[in-house]
């Protein structure tokens, strides 16, 4: 065989984005903190980290923009149900809220502005769904695996959201339904509901906003209601130009407004957590509200709850009952049992032909999806540690998972006030933990078994008197066995006090005894 003459390779400009074949394997970048999620929690974490002088962090977001809840929930009528001047960051007041209860696009735009104003863009990584968080004991750090690469981190902040993963019931025949199906938090804006026969499944916080928004446009609306909701009047209105001007020119006026909104809600807490009998008065207001809008006694009967108000989240709407009483709406006082072709069969056996089904059936809450991706000391899965119910110390840290800090962790939800208050309290705790670790020369911390057990015993003791336990309902706050692992059974001020400082007596400390990358057992530092 004739020897092949070797031609010189064509000169090709190297593609800067293409990894070179002869390049050394990329080192996994290490950061001080990896934050999962870019909703209120993740962005708030970014702001507070920077303010604490910690700039070595990434915010990993699976979607392609910030906003969390307020990016994903774009259904017609979506708005907050805590007044905007309280449902926003204390460190980023917005004098320009357009309404008392602002709509989703305004809240989303606010969060985009927060990302810009506080210099968070360089920290954000989009498309970076975290697929695994694994504690590397030998290095005293987390390995964070995402769809766009891996990081290692001293600490991880989980801000993956309490209501981020839609829950659609596994109904017989759903796959064979020939029409359109979507969940409230994944609204298909390309599908026009005008004139269609539409079913809404569920009567919770999202459905109560969707139903009045779509009822005038659809041909017919069938609402599947397993349990009726208590609905109170919604004191919504436009914020006037004078108010906006005042809050812009005189910031203390905005602070005063926020403080008043805060105080009103703090005063209500006692009725929810200690004296549910006081809620009977509120129940009368809700009943009158329904009676004013619904004339038909049979429909009223279907819409009257048989449990104490507050046991499930109290909904606010002036348009929900009129929409249910409209001639093109039918309320089926029963859950959806199965689908047969385009026929929806309710649990009461009634059948309903529809073109589209909208599920307002909520989220995976007590079975928090991120827990299935977290592996702590000894490779233990967080989902396994939580198999009998979610549990943390001060809603933030979990034994066996050092330096993992939750925002809106177990038992930090609220029934009546702004979740941003809870997020900000947990951010105080996070920053205090990180600065404390620095100041004492430790690398990581995890709660002692005793501290975590004690915290939860006391918390569940307080829970036993609350309306969520005694009110006679089954809500999404409860685990299968009825334990409430979602809500905080006290005031937001009490939570703020409980998370102001880290109490080192509640923690075991770990110290990295070798440089990063060297395999050595962490040393337990006695406190
Ligand atoms: C329709 C609706 C209305 C609401 N209204 C109110 C209200 O009026 N008042 C109130 O107090 N609360 C309200 N809430 C609760 C609301 O969820 C919280 O107030 C708050 O927005 C939660 O912020 P978050 O950052 O913790 O979570 P989210 O806003 O849910 O953000 C979580 C982020 O994490 C990302 N993420 C999740 N998993 C991963 C992963 N594995 N890898 C990477 N990224 C991930 C998600 O994409 C998302 O961007 C409402 C919730 C809903 C659904």
């Amino acid at each position: 065989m004739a020897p092949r003459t070797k031609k010189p390779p064509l000169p090709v400009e190297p593609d800067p984005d293409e990894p070179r074949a002869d390049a050394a394997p990329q080192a996994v970048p290490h950061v001080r903190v990896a934050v999962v999620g870019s909703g209120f929690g993740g962005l708030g974490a970014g702001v507070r980290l920077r303010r604490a002088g910690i700039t070595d962090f990434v915010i990993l977001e699976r979607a392609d923009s910030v906003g969390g809840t307020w990016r994903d929930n774009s259904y017609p009528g979506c708005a907050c149900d805590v007044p905007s001047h309280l449902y926003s960051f204390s460190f980023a007041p917005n004098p320009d809220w357009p309404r008392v209860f602002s709509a989703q696009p305004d809240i989303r735009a606010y969060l985009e502005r927060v990302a810009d104003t506080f210099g968070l863009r360089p920290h954000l990584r989009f498309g970076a769904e975290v697929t695994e968080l694994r504690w590397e004991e030998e290095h005293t750090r987390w390995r964070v695996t995402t769809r766009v690469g891996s990081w290692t981190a001293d600490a991880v902040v989980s801000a993956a959201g309490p209501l981020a993963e839609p829950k659609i019931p596994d109904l017989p025949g759903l796959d064979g339904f020939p029409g359109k199906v979507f969940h409230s938090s994944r609204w298909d804006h390309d599908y026009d509901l005008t004139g269609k026969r539409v079913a809404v499944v569920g009567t919770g916080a999202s459905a109560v906003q969707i139903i009045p928004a779509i009822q005038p446009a659809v041909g017919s609306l069938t609402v599947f209601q397993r349990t009726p909701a208590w609905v109170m009047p919604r004191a919504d209105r436009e914020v006037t130009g004078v108010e906006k001007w005042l809050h812009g020119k005189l910031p203390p006026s905005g602070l005063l407004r926020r403080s008043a909104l805060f105080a009103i809600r703090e005063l209500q807490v006692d009725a929810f957590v200690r004296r549910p009998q006081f809620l009977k008065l509120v129940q009368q207001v809700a009943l009158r509200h329904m009676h004013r809008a619904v004339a038909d006694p049979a429909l009223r009967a279907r819409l009257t709850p048989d449990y104490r108000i507050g046991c499930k989240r109290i909904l606010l709407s002036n348009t929900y009952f009129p929409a249910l009483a409209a001639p093109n709406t039918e309320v089926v006082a029963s859950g959806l049992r199965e689908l047969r072709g385009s026929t929806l069969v309710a649990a009461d056996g009634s059948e309903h032909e529809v073109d589209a089904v909208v599920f307002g059936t909520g989220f995976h809450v007590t079975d928090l999806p991120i827990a299935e991706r977290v592996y702590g000391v000894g490779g233990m899965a967080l989902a396994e540690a939580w198999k009998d119910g979610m549990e943390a110390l001060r809603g933030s840290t979990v034994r066996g998972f050092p330096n993992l800090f939750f925002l809106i962790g177990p038992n930090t939800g609220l029934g009546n006030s702004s979740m941003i208050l809870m997020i900000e309290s947990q951010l105080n705790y996070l920053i205090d933990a990180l600065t404390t670790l620095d100041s004492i020369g430790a690398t990581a911390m995890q709660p002692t078994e005793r501290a975590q057990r004690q915290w939860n015993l006391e918390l569940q003791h307080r829970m036993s008197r609350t309306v969520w336990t005694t009110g006679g309902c089954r809500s999404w706050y409860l685990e299968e066995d009825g334990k409430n692992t979602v809500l905080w059974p006290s005031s937001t001020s009490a939570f703020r006090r409980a998370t102001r400082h880290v109490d080192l007596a509640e923690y075991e400390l770990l110290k990295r005894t070798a440089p990063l990358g060297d395999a050595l057992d962490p040393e337990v530092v006695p406190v």
Side-chain angles (χ1 to χ4, degrees), residues 36-42 60-62 68-71 73 75 80-82 87 128-130 159-164 206 363 370 373 408 417-419:
V36 186
S38 69
F40 266 104
L60 305 167
E61 170 55 58
R62 66 181 172 190
T69 293
W70 302 101
R71 175 199 62 234
N73 290 267
Y75 59 76
C80 54
D81 57 12
V82 169
Y87 189 64
E129 176 172 355
V130 173
L163 309 174
S206 298
F363 300 87
I370 192 77
R373 301 176 177 201
I408 318 197
S417 192
S418 169
M419 285 309 301

mmCIF file of all heavy atoms in Angstrom, residues 36-42 60-62 68-71 73 75 80-82 87 128-130 159-164 206 363 370 373 408 417-419, ligand 1:
data_model
loop_
_atom_site.group_PDB
_atom_site.id
_atom_site.type_symbol
_atom_site.label_atom_id
_atom_site.label_comp_id
_atom_site.label_asym_id
_atom_site.label_seq_id
_atom_site.Cartn_x
_atom_site.Cartn_y
_atom_site.Cartn_z
ATOM 1 N N VAL A 36 -30.746 27.808 45.380
ATOM 2 C CA VAL A 36 -31.617 27.124 44.407
ATOM 3 C C VAL A 36 -32.922 27.906 44.303
ATOM 4 O O VAL A 36 -33.653 28.028 45.276
ATOM 5 C CB VAL A 36 -31.919 25.679 44.850
ATOM 6 C CG1 VAL A 36 -32.691 24.941 43.759
ATOM 7 C CG2 VAL A 36 -30.652 24.937 45.209
ATOM 8 N N GLY A 37 -33.198 28.445 43.100
ATOM 9 C CA GLY A 37 -34.463 29.149 42.882
ATOM 10 C C GLY A 37 -34.296 30.659 42.845
ATOM 11 O O GLY A 37 -33.419 31.213 43.515
ATOM 12 N N SER A 38 -35.103 31.308 42.019
ATOM 13 C CA SER A 38 -35.007 32.772 41.898
ATOM 14 C C SER A 38 -36.377 33.435 42.007
ATOM 15 O O SER A 38 -36.701 34.352 41.271
ATOM 16 C CB SER A 38 -34.330 33.143 40.577
ATOM 17 O OG SER A 38 -35.191 32.808 39.497
ATOM 18 N N GLY A 39 -37.171 32.930 42.961
ATOM 19 C CA GLY A 39 -38.403 33.634 43.317
ATOM 20 C C GLY A 39 -38.074 34.656 44.392
ATOM 21 O O GLY A 39 -36.924 35.093 44.521
ATOM 22 N N PHE A 40 -39.081 35.040 45.162
ATOM 23 C CA PHE A 40 -38.837 35.982 46.253
ATOM 24 C C PHE A 40 -37.705 35.469 47.149
ATOM 25 O O PHE A 40 -36.853 36.242 47.592
ATOM 26 C CB PHE A 40 -40.117 36.150 47.090
ATOM 27 C CG PHE A 40 -40.977 37.321 46.671
ATOM 28 C CD1 PHE A 40 -42.144 37.131 45.939
ATOM 29 C CD2 PHE A 40 -40.635 38.623 47.017
ATOM 30 C CE1 PHE A 40 -42.949 38.200 45.563
ATOM 31 C CE2 PHE A 40 -41.433 39.699 46.653
ATOM 32 C CZ PHE A 40 -42.599 39.496 45.921
ATOM 33 N N GLY A 41 -37.708 34.144 47.428
ATOM 34 C CA GLY A 41 -36.717 33.586 48.336
ATOM 35 C C GLY A 41 -35.299 33.690 47.796
ATOM 36 O O GLY A 41 -34.410 34.243 48.443
ATOM 37 N N GLY A 42 -35.092 33.171 46.586
ATOM 38 C CA GLY A 42 -33.741 33.150 46.015
ATOM 39 C C GLY A 42 -33.196 34.550 45.775
ATOM 40 O O GLY A 42 -32.013 34.824 46.045
ATOM 41 N N LEU A 60 -29.167 29.399 41.166
ATOM 42 C CA LEU A 60 -29.445 28.406 40.122
ATOM 43 C C LEU A 60 -30.951 28.322 39.899
ATOM 44 O O LEU A 60 -31.699 28.014 40.830
ATOM 45 C CB LEU A 60 -28.885 27.054 40.561
ATOM 46 C CG LEU A 60 -27.393 27.087 40.921
ATOM 47 C CD1 LEU A 60 -26.981 25.811 41.639
ATOM 48 C CD2 LEU A 60 -26.552 27.319 39.670
ATOM 49 N N GLU A 61 -31.373 28.606 38.684
ATOM 50 C CA GLU A 61 -32.804 28.653 38.372
ATOM 51 C C GLU A 61 -33.083 27.751 37.170
ATOM 52 O O GLU A 61 -32.434 27.876 36.137
ATOM 53 C CB GLU A 61 -33.218 30.102 38.076
ATOM 54 C CG GLU A 61 -34.615 30.278 37.508
ATOM 55 C CD GLU A 61 -35.725 29.661 38.367
ATOM 56 O OE1 GLU A 61 -35.843 30.046 39.541
ATOM 57 O OE2 GLU A 61 -36.448 28.787 37.847
ATOM 58 N N ARG A 62 -34.082 26.887 37.314
ATOM 59 C CA ARG A 62 -34.367 25.937 36.229
ATOM 60 C C ARG A 62 -35.031 26.614 35.030
ATOM 61 O O ARG A 62 -34.896 26.161 33.902
ATOM 62 C CB ARG A 62 -35.235 24.793 36.744
ATOM 63 C CG ARG A 62 -36.626 25.221 37.159
ATOM 64 C CD ARG A 62 -37.431 24.057 37.694
ATOM 65 N NE ARG A 62 -38.684 24.531 38.252
ATOM 66 C CZ ARG A 62 -39.508 23.782 38.954
ATOM 67 N NH1 ARG A 62 -39.199 22.528 39.221
ATOM 68 N NH2 ARG A 62 -40.635 24.276 39.413
ATOM 69 N N GLY A 68 -40.179 33.017 39.975
ATOM 70 C CA GLY A 68 -40.811 31.902 40.686
ATOM 71 C C GLY A 68 -42.317 31.855 40.474
ATOM 72 O O GLY A 68 -42.811 31.852 39.324
ATOM 73 N N THR A 69 -43.040 31.831 41.568
ATOM 74 C CA THR A 69 -44.515 31.824 41.550
ATOM 75 C C THR A 69 -45.073 32.822 40.547
ATOM 76 O O THR A 69 -46.026 32.529 39.820
ATOM 77 C CB THR A 69 -45.016 32.241 42.964
ATOM 78 O OG1 THR A 69 -44.669 31.228 43.896
ATOM 79 C CG2 THR A 69 -46.508 32.456 42.989
ATOM 80 N N TRP A 70 -44.449 34.002 40.513
ATOM 81 C CA TRP A 70 -45.017 35.118 39.740
ATOM 82 C C TRP A 70 -44.578 35.112 38.286
ATOM 83 O O TRP A 70 -44.994 35.937 37.490
ATOM 84 C CB TRP A 70 -44.733 36.441 40.453
ATOM 85 C CG TRP A 70 -45.321 36.337 41.823
ATOM 86 C CD1 TRP A 70 -44.647 36.076 42.988
ATOM 87 C CD2 TRP A 70 -46.729 36.352 42.162
ATOM 88 N NE1 TRP A 70 -45.542 35.940 44.022
ATOM 89 C CE2 TRP A 70 -46.811 36.120 43.549
ATOM 90 C CE3 TRP A 70 -47.901 36.558 41.429
ATOM 91 C CZ2 TRP A 70 -48.038 36.071 44.215
ATOM 92 C CZ3 TRP A 70 -49.118 36.514 42.090
ATOM 93 C CH2 TRP A 70 -49.175 36.275 43.463
ATOM 94 N N ARG A 71 -43.716 34.182 37.933
ATOM 95 C CA ARG A 71 -43.404 33.901 36.527
ATOM 96 C C ARG A 71 -44.302 32.761 36.044
ATOM 97 O O ARG A 71 -44.857 32.830 34.946
ATOM 98 C CB ARG A 71 -41.918 33.499 36.425
ATOM 99 C CG ARG A 71 -41.447 33.066 35.046
ATOM 100 C CD ARG A 71 -40.158 32.257 35.139
ATOM 101 N NE ARG A 71 -40.394 31.048 35.900
ATOM 102 C CZ ARG A 71 -39.679 30.669 36.970
ATOM 103 N NH1 ARG A 71 -38.639 31.352 37.378
ATOM 104 N NH2 ARG A 71 -39.998 29.566 37.632
ATOM 105 N N ASN A 73 -47.233 31.465 37.364
ATOM 106 C CA ASN A 73 -48.690 31.593 37.452
ATOM 107 C C ASN A 73 -49.148 32.821 36.681
ATOM 108 O O ASN A 73 -49.174 33.931 37.206
ATOM 109 C CB ASN A 73 -49.140 31.689 38.909
ATOM 110 C CG ASN A 73 -48.948 30.378 39.639
ATOM 111 O OD1 ASN A 73 -49.854 29.556 39.706
ATOM 112 N ND2 ASN A 73 -47.736 30.158 40.141
ATOM 113 N N TYR A 75 -52.131 32.800 34.936
ATOM 114 C CA TYR A 75 -53.535 32.560 34.579
ATOM 115 C C TYR A 75 -54.348 33.853 34.643
ATOM 116 O O TYR A 75 -53.970 34.795 35.366
ATOM 117 C CB TYR A 75 -54.132 31.471 35.472
ATOM 118 C CG TYR A 75 -54.095 31.757 36.965
ATOM 119 C CD1 TYR A 75 -54.977 32.659 37.559
ATOM 120 C CD2 TYR A 75 -53.195 31.105 37.806
ATOM 121 C CE1 TYR A 75 -54.961 32.900 38.919
ATOM 122 C CE2 TYR A 75 -53.162 31.341 39.163
ATOM 123 C CZ TYR A 75 -54.056 32.248 39.716
ATOM 124 O OH TYR A 75 -54.017 32.502 41.066
ATOM 125 N N CYS A 80 -51.994 38.859 43.901
ATOM 126 C CA CYS A 80 -51.732 38.470 45.287
ATOM 127 C C CYS A 80 -52.998 38.672 46.123
ATOM 128 O O CYS A 80 -53.890 39.436 45.742
ATOM 129 C CB CYS A 80 -50.558 39.249 45.863
ATOM 130 S SG CYS A 80 -50.691 41.029 45.758
ATOM 131 N N ASP A 81 -53.065 37.972 47.263
ATOM 132 C CA ASP A 81 -54.210 38.190 48.142
ATOM 133 C C ASP A 81 -53.783 38.717 49.511
ATOM 134 O O ASP A 81 -54.542 38.670 50.473
ATOM 135 C CB ASP A 81 -55.113 36.948 48.235
ATOM 136 C CG ASP A 81 -54.361 35.720 48.694
ATOM 137 O OD1 ASP A 81 -53.211 35.865 49.154
ATOM 138 O OD2 ASP A 81 -54.932 34.614 48.606
ATOM 139 N N VAL A 82 -52.548 39.197 49.561
ATOM 140 C CA VAL A 82 -52.068 40.006 50.691
ATOM 141 C C VAL A 82 -51.692 41.339 50.045
ATOM 142 O O VAL A 82 -51.074 41.345 48.976
ATOM 143 C CB VAL A 82 -50.824 39.345 51.335
ATOM 144 C CG1 VAL A 82 -50.155 40.283 52.313
ATOM 145 C CG2 VAL A 82 -51.209 38.033 52.008
ATOM 146 N N TYR A 87 -46.882 42.657 50.740
ATOM 147 C CA TYR A 87 -46.374 41.514 49.982
ATOM 148 C C TYR A 87 -45.255 41.987 49.047
ATOM 149 O O TYR A 87 -45.376 41.975 47.830
ATOM 150 C CB TYR A 87 -47.502 40.824 49.202
ATOM 151 C CG TYR A 87 -47.050 39.514 48.587
ATOM 152 C CD1 TYR A 87 -46.663 38.451 49.389
ATOM 153 C CD2 TYR A 87 -46.967 39.357 47.211
ATOM 154 C CE1 TYR A 87 -46.208 37.258 48.838
ATOM 155 C CE2 TYR A 87 -46.516 38.167 46.648
ATOM 156 C CZ TYR A 87 -46.137 37.130 47.471
ATOM 157 O OH TYR A 87 -45.675 35.963 46.921
ATOM 158 N N ALA A 128 -30.683 26.087 34.860
ATOM 159 C CA ALA A 128 -29.830 25.297 35.758
ATOM 160 C C ALA A 128 -30.682 24.545 36.774
ATOM 161 O O ALA A 128 -30.624 24.816 37.979
ATOM 162 C CB ALA A 128 -28.815 26.212 36.446
ATOM 163 N N GLU A 129 -31.477 23.631 36.279
ATOM 164 C CA GLU A 129 -32.281 22.834 37.207
ATOM 165 C C GLU A 129 -31.357 21.985 38.074
ATOM 166 O O GLU A 129 -30.504 21.250 37.556
ATOM 167 C CB GLU A 129 -33.233 21.925 36.427
ATOM 168 C CG GLU A 129 -34.018 21.025 37.371
ATOM 169 C CD GLU A 129 -35.109 20.243 36.679
ATOM 170 O OE1 GLU A 129 -35.338 20.460 35.468
ATOM 171 O OE2 GLU A 129 -35.722 19.408 37.360
ATOM 172 N N VAL A 130 -31.513 22.098 39.362
ATOM 173 C CA VAL A 130 -30.694 21.302 40.273
ATOM 174 C C VAL A 130 -31.267 19.891 40.311
ATOM 175 O O VAL A 130 -32.414 19.684 40.682
ATOM 176 C CB VAL A 130 -30.679 21.932 41.680
ATOM 177 C CG1 VAL A 130 -29.966 21.019 42.672
ATOM 178 C CG2 VAL A 130 -30.005 23.301 41.628
ATOM 179 N N ALA A 159 -34.324 27.581 48.005
ATOM 180 C CA ALA A 159 -35.452 28.501 47.826
ATOM 181 C C ALA A 159 -36.246 28.009 46.626
ATOM 182 O O ALA A 159 -36.639 28.768 45.749
ATOM 183 C CB ALA A 159 -34.942 29.928 47.602
ATOM 184 N N ALA A 160 -36.455 26.676 46.605
ATOM 185 C CA ALA A 160 -37.101 26.048 45.447
ATOM 186 C C ALA A 160 -38.618 26.185 45.480
ATOM 187 O O ALA A 160 -39.291 25.717 44.563
ATOM 188 C CB ALA A 160 -36.696 24.573 45.369
ATOM 189 N N GLY A 161 -39.125 26.823 46.525
ATOM 190 C CA GLY A 161 -40.543 27.186 46.529
ATOM 191 C C GLY A 161 -41.455 26.176 47.176
ATOM 192 O O GLY A 161 -41.318 24.965 46.950
ATOM 193 N N PRO A 162 -42.409 26.681 47.970
ATOM 194 C CA PRO A 162 -43.356 25.778 48.626
ATOM 195 C C PRO A 162 -44.487 25.363 47.679
ATOM 196 O O PRO A 162 -45.122 24.341 47.866
ATOM 197 C CB PRO A 162 -43.918 26.631 49.765
ATOM 198 C CG PRO A 162 -43.811 28.047 49.258
ATOM 199 C CD PRO A 162 -42.623 28.092 48.346
ATOM 200 N N LEU A 163 -44.729 26.191 46.656
ATOM 201 C CA LEU A 163 -45.838 25.942 45.728
ATOM 202 C C LEU A 163 -45.302 26.077 44.303
ATOM 203 O O LEU A 163 -45.696 26.975 43.556
ATOM 204 C CB LEU A 163 -46.973 26.968 45.957
ATOM 205 C CG LEU A 163 -47.483 27.149 47.389
ATOM 206 C CD1 LEU A 163 -48.483 28.292 47.477
ATOM 207 C CD2 LEU A 163 -48.137 25.875 47.893
ATOM 208 N N ALA A 164 -44.357 25.217 43.952
ATOM 209 C CA ALA A 164 -43.699 25.378 42.657
ATOM 210 C C ALA A 164 -43.980 24.219 41.704
ATOM 211 O O ALA A 164 -43.798 24.350 40.498
ATOM 212 C CB ALA A 164 -42.192 25.531 42.860
ATOM 213 N N SER A 206 -56.328 29.591 43.546
ATOM 214 C CA SER A 206 -56.159 29.922 42.126
ATOM 215 C C SER A 206 -57.498 29.877 41.408
ATOM 216 O O SER A 206 -57.850 30.792 40.651
ATOM 217 C CB SER A 206 -55.191 28.942 41.448
ATOM 218 O OG SER A 206 -53.919 29.017 42.035
ATOM 219 N N PHE A 363 -50.518 22.189 44.523
ATOM 220 C CA PHE A 363 -49.100 21.876 44.326
ATOM 221 C C PHE A 363 -48.653 20.737 45.247
ATOM 222 O O PHE A 363 -49.341 20.404 46.204
ATOM 223 C CB PHE A 363 -48.277 23.131 44.637
ATOM 224 C CG PHE A 363 -48.634 24.291 43.744
ATOM 225 C CD1 PHE A 363 -49.682 25.150 44.083
ATOM 226 C CD2 PHE A 363 -47.981 24.503 42.544
ATOM 227 C CE1 PHE A 363 -50.039 26.209 43.250
ATOM 228 C CE2 PHE A 363 -48.334 25.555 41.702
ATOM 229 C CZ PHE A 363 -49.362 26.407 42.059
ATOM 230 N N ILE A 370 -38.003 19.023 46.024
ATOM 231 C CA ILE A 370 -36.547 19.168 46.143
ATOM 232 C C ILE A 370 -35.988 18.119 47.112
ATOM 233 O O ILE A 370 -34.849 17.668 46.969
ATOM 234 C CB ILE A 370 -36.143 20.610 46.571
ATOM 235 C CG1 ILE A 370 -34.634 20.856 46.413
ATOM 236 C CG2 ILE A 370 -36.554 20.939 47.991
ATOM 237 C CD1 ILE A 370 -34.171 21.085 45.024
ATOM 238 N N ARG A 373 -34.158 15.172 45.912
ATOM 239 C CA ARG A 373 -32.878 15.369 45.218
ATOM 240 C C ARG A 373 -31.733 15.661 46.180
ATOM 241 O O ARG A 373 -30.633 15.971 45.732
ATOM 242 C CB ARG A 373 -33.017 16.530 44.227
ATOM 243 C CG ARG A 373 -34.115 16.259 43.213
ATOM 244 C CD ARG A 373 -34.358 17.401 42.283
ATOM 245 N NE ARG A 373 -35.370 17.007 41.303
ATOM 246 C CZ ARG A 373 -35.554 17.569 40.131
ATOM 247 N NH1 ARG A 373 -34.784 18.575 39.764
ATOM 248 N NH2 ARG A 373 -36.483 17.154 39.304
ATOM 249 N N ILE A 408 -38.705 29.278 53.493
ATOM 250 C CA ILE A 408 -40.025 28.644 53.538
ATOM 251 C C ILE A 408 -39.858 27.127 53.671
ATOM 252 O O ILE A 408 -40.312 26.336 52.856
ATOM 253 C CB ILE A 408 -40.923 29.001 52.332
ATOM 254 C CG1 ILE A 408 -40.805 30.497 51.981
ATOM 255 C CG2 ILE A 408 -42.378 28.651 52.662
ATOM 256 C CD1 ILE A 408 -41.910 31.020 51.099
ATOM 257 N N SER A 417 -51.002 36.154 56.418
ATOM 258 C CA SER A 417 -50.149 37.330 56.174
ATOM 259 C C SER A 417 -49.137 37.048 55.070
ATOM 260 O O SER A 417 -49.215 36.022 54.396
ATOM 261 C CB SER A 417 -49.453 37.744 57.474
ATOM 262 O OG SER A 417 -48.864 39.017 57.328
ATOM 263 N N SER A 418 -48.188 37.970 54.924
ATOM 264 C CA SER A 418 -47.269 37.926 53.791
ATOM 265 C C SER A 418 -46.117 36.952 54.012
ATOM 266 O O SER A 418 -45.373 37.061 55.003
ATOM 267 C CB SER A 418 -46.707 39.328 53.560
ATOM 268 O OG SER A 418 -45.639 39.275 52.653
ATOM 269 N N MET A 419 -45.938 36.049 53.050
ATOM 270 C CA MET A 419 -44.838 35.104 53.132
ATOM 271 C C MET A 419 -43.480 35.804 53.070
ATOM 272 O O MET A 419 -42.468 35.237 53.474
ATOM 273 C CB MET A 419 -44.923 34.084 51.993
ATOM 274 C CG MET A 419 -45.986 33.027 52.164
ATOM 275 S SD MET A 419 -45.916 32.209 53.753
ATOM 276 C CE MET A 419 -44.278 31.540 53.706
HETATM 277 C C1 LIG B 1 -50.998 31.763 42.562
HETATM 278 C C2 LIG B 1 -50.290 32.032 43.860
HETATM 279 C C3 LIG B 1 -50.578 33.184 44.563
HETATM 280 C C4 LIG B 1 -49.926 33.442 45.767
HETATM 281 N N1 LIG B 1 -50.250 34.573 46.454
HETATM 282 C C5 LIG B 1 -49.635 34.833 47.616
HETATM 283 C C6 LIG B 1 -49.951 36.011 48.363
HETATM 284 O O1 LIG B 1 -50.798 36.807 47.978
HETATM 285 N N2 LIG B 1 -49.320 36.207 49.533
HETATM 286 C C7 LIG B 1 -48.385 35.336 50.012
HETATM 287 O O2 LIG B 1 -47.834 35.584 51.077
HETATM 288 N N3 LIG B 1 -48.037 34.240 49.317
HETATM 289 C C8 LIG B 1 -48.646 33.964 48.152
HETATM 290 N N4 LIG B 1 -48.312 32.831 47.454
HETATM 291 C C9 LIG B 1 -47.261 31.940 47.973
HETATM 292 C C10 LIG B 1 -45.942 32.199 47.204
HETATM 293 O O3 LIG B 1 -45.542 30.977 46.673
HETATM 294 C C11 LIG B 1 -44.891 32.800 48.120
HETATM 295 O O4 LIG B 1 -45.400 34.011 48.649
HETATM 296 C C12 LIG B 1 -43.559 33.145 47.432
HETATM 297 O O5 LIG B 1 -43.749 33.655 46.146
HETATM 298 C C13 LIG B 1 -42.644 31.955 47.403
HETATM 299 O O6 LIG B 1 -41.397 32.370 46.924
HETATM 300 P P1 LIG B 1 -40.202 31.324 46.795
HETATM 301 O O7 LIG B 1 -39.062 32.057 46.231
HETATM 302 O O8 LIG B 1 -40.003 30.626 48.082
HETATM 303 O O9 LIG B 1 -40.754 30.219 45.814
HETATM 304 P P2 LIG B 1 -41.139 30.340 44.267
HETATM 305 O O10 LIG B 1 -41.655 31.672 43.943
HETATM 306 O O11 LIG B 1 -41.995 29.162 43.979
HETATM 307 O O12 LIG B 1 -39.746 30.177 43.523
HETATM 308 C C14 LIG B 1 -39.081 28.944 43.490
HETATM 309 C C15 LIG B 1 -38.138 28.944 42.310
HETATM 310 O O13 LIG B 1 -37.312 27.806 42.381
HETATM 311 C C16 LIG B 1 -37.186 27.243 41.084
HETATM 312 N N5 LIG B 1 -36.865 25.833 41.266
HETATM 313 C C17 LIG B 1 -37.618 24.867 41.844
HETATM 314 N N6 LIG B 1 -36.969 23.689 41.826
HETATM 315 C C18 LIG B 1 -35.773 23.924 41.252
HETATM 316 C C19 LIG B 1 -34.643 23.094 40.961
HETATM 317 N N7 LIG B 1 -34.642 21.800 41.268
HETATM 318 N N8 LIG B 1 -33.581 23.654 40.368
HETATM 319 C C20 LIG B 1 -33.569 24.983 40.043
HETATM 320 N N9 LIG B 1 -34.603 25.803 40.285
HETATM 321 C C21 LIG B 1 -35.693 25.279 40.887
HETATM 322 C C22 LIG B 1 -38.541 27.470 40.447
HETATM 323 O O14 LIG B 1 -38.477 27.432 39.044
HETATM 324 C C23 LIG B 1 -38.873 28.866 40.978
HETATM 325 O O15 LIG B 1 -38.396 29.874 40.127
HETATM 326 C C24 LIG B 1 -48.969 32.528 46.265
HETATM 327 C C25 LIG B 1 -48.697 31.365 45.554
HETATM 328 C C26 LIG B 1 -49.344 31.110 44.371
HETATM 329 C C27 LIG B 1 -49.040 29.840 43.623
#
